[in-house]
């Protein structure tokens, strides 16, 4: 799974003008949403700020 931060250029392009609608979607909320169902096996933060998650079903 991939976390795309709100500072990402593609995120900005897609959300343009509607950032407030997505303001509740933070990295913490993202992690919390899948924590009940998955275990994080590994994660890799890319230079552009995106985070790749290797998950396993809990």
């Amino acid at each position: 799974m991939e976390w795309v931060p709100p500072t990402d250029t593609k995120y900005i392009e897609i959300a343009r003008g509607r950032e407030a609608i997505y303001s509740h979607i933070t990295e913490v909320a993202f992690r919390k949403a899948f924590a009940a169902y998955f275990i994080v096996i590994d994660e890799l933060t890319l230079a552009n700020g995106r985070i790749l998650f290797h998950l396993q079903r809990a």
Side-chain angles (χ1 to χ4, degrees), residues 23-52:
S23 64
H24 69 284
I25 304 174
T26 63
E27 182 184 339
V28 172
F30 181 79
R31 290 175 180 269
K32 189 176 180 178
F34 64 73
Y37 306 99
F38 298 97
I39 298 166
V40 177
I41 302 299
D42 197 13
E43 63 182 79
L44 174 65
T45 303
L46 305 177
N48 62 5
R50 293 180 180 210
I51 305 172
L52 302 177

Side-chain angles (χ1 to χ4, degrees), residues 11-23:
Y11 176 96
I12 293 167
E13 180 184 327
I14 291 169
R16 74 177 173 266
R18 298 180 299 272
E19 292 84 356
I21 296 171
Y22 304 107
S23 64

